[in-house]
C-alpha cells in the first residue's frame, strides 16, 4: 500500500468518524466542562513521523498536576469513564486530518523518550503515529514497553491496507471488551526509561 493511498483512507475515515461520533464528542466535552472546568481539550507535545513534534489533542481526563499527585490519583471518575470508552481519543481525528497522525500506526509517545530508544525501537517513527495500532489490539497497556515496540516495528515491516482494516476492526472489539486500558497501578503506563544501552538515537 502506498503512502498516498494510506493518506486517502485516513482522510476519508477521519471525516466519516467525525460525522458519526460528533454527538458523542459534544456530549463528552460538555461533561468534562461541567465536572472539571477548563480546559476541556488536553494538549501535549508528542513525537510524530521522522521524530518531528506535533500537538496531540485529547479530552481532558485528569485534574491539574500542580499538587504533585500521581496520575492515578489525578484521574477523575469522568476521566476514567472516558478512557474506558476511548472517547477521550476522539479529538485526535483532527490530528489525523491535519496529517500529524494516521488512523493506524504506532501510538505517539513523549519527546523525552527519543533518546531512550534503541536503534530498532526508534524505527517506530518511520511512519506517522496512529489513533490506534497493532499494539492497541494486541494487549494495549497490558504489554511491556519492549513488547509494544516489537509490535510497532513488525507493523512497519508488514504494512498493508488489509492489515490496517484488520486493526481498525480489532480496535472496535478491544474497546467493547475494555481490554488492557491500564497497567497495574498506573493511569496508563509507567514511564519508559529505556531497555538498555541506547544506540544511534541522538
Amino acid at each position: 500500500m502506498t503512502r498516498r493511498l494510506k493518506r486517502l483512507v485516513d482522510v476519508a475515515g477521519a471525516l466519516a468518524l467525525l460525522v458519526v461520533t460528533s454527538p458523542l464528542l459534544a456530549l463528552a466535552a460538555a461533561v468534562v466542562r461541567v465536572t472539571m472546568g477548563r480546559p476541556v481539550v488536553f494538549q501535549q507535545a508528542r513525537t510524530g513521523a521522522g521524530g518531528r513534534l506535533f500537538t496531540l489533542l485529547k479530552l481532558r481526563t485528569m485534574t491539574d498536576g500542580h499538587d504533585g499527585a500521581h496520575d492515578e490519583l489525578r484521574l477523575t471518575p469522568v476521566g476514567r469513564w472516558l478512557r474506558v470508552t476511548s472517547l477521550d481519543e476522539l479529538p485526535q481525528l483532527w490530528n489525523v486530518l491535519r496529517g500529524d497522525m494516521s488512523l493506524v500506526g504506532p501510538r505517539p509517545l513523549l519527546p523525552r523518550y527519543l533518546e531512550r530508544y534503541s536503534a530498532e525501537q526508534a524505527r517506530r517513527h518511520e511512519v506517522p503515529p496512529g489513533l490506534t495500532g497493532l499494539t492497541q489490539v494486541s494487549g494495549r497497556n497490558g504489554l511491556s514497553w519492549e513488547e509494544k515496540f516489537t509490535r510497532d516495528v513488525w507493523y512497519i515491516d508488514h504494512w498493508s491496507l488489509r492489515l490496517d482494516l484488520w486493526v481498525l476492526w480489532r480496535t472496535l472489539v478491544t474497546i467493547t471488551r475494555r481490554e488492557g486500558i491500564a497497567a497495574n497501578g498506573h493511569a496508563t503506563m509507567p514511564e519508559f526509561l529505556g531497555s538498555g544501552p541506547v544506540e544511534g538515537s541522538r
Side-chain angles (χ1 to χ4, degrees):
M1 181 173 60
T2 66
R3 291 182 182 274
R4 184 173 181 181
L5 176 58
K6 184 174 177 67
R7 180 62 186 152
L8 289 174
V9 172
D10 285 342
V11 172
L15 284 172
L17 286 171
L18 276 174
V19 171
V20 171
T21 63
S22 57
L24 276 175
L25 180 56
L27 176 61
V31 172
V32 171
R33 177 69 176 86
V34 170
T35 59
M36 282 184 272
R38 295 182 179 179
V40 172
V41 176
F42 171 74
Q43 302 182 49
Q44 188 177 55
R46 295 292 177 96
T47 308
R52 293 183 296 273
L53 301 187
F54 71 96
T55 301
L56 181 89
L57 307 176
K58 296 180 70 170
L59 288 178
R60 184 179 171 204
T61 59
M62 295 185 184
T63 59
D64 292 335
H66 301 307
D67 56 0
H70 190 278
D71 282 354
E72 183 66 17
L73 300 178
R74 293 171 51 215
L75 187 62
T76 67
V78 167
R80 192 179 302 277
W81 173 74
L82 289 173
R83 290 193 177 199
V84 165
T85 58
S86 293
L87 291 176
D88 64 316
E89 309 281 359
L90 288 179
Q92 288 165 50
L93 290 170
W94 178 244
N95 285 122
V96 175
L97 288 177
R98 291 196 312 190
D100 300 326
M101 295 175 61
S102 176
L103 289 177
V104 181
R107 284 295 292 164
L109 299 178
L110 298 171
R112 65 173 176 266
Y113 290 179
L114 278 171
E115 63 180 14
R116 303 174 188 176
Y117 297 128
S118 68
E120 182 71 3
Q121 291 168 349
R123 290 189 58 213
R124 67 193 310 279
H125 299 300
E126 292 177 6
V127 298
L131 181 63
T132 186
L134 185 61
T135 291
Q136 282 60 52
V137 300
S138 303
R140 204 171 176 180
N141 289 326
L143 301 174
S144 68
W145 282 114
E146 287 74 18
E147 290 171 326
K148 287 186 174 191
F149 297 149
T150 296
R151 284 164 174 78
D152 290 342
V153 173
W154 189 95
Y155 168 78
I156 291 169
D157 290 337
H158 297 82
W159 183 27
S160 69
L161 177 59
R162 182 177 180 179
L163 177 58
D164 276 7
L165 293 176
W166 181 83
V167 169
L168 290 171
W169 165 248
R170 287 297 305 172
T171 298
L172 294 176
V173 174
T174 300
I175 291 173
T176 301
R177 294 179 178 176
R178 302 182 178 183
E179 298 172 340
I181 297 167
N184 290 336
H186 296 272
T188 50
M189 283 286 290
E191 182 171 354
F192 174 62
L193 299 176
S195 302
V198 179
E199 306 171 21
S201 59
R202 289 187 180 276

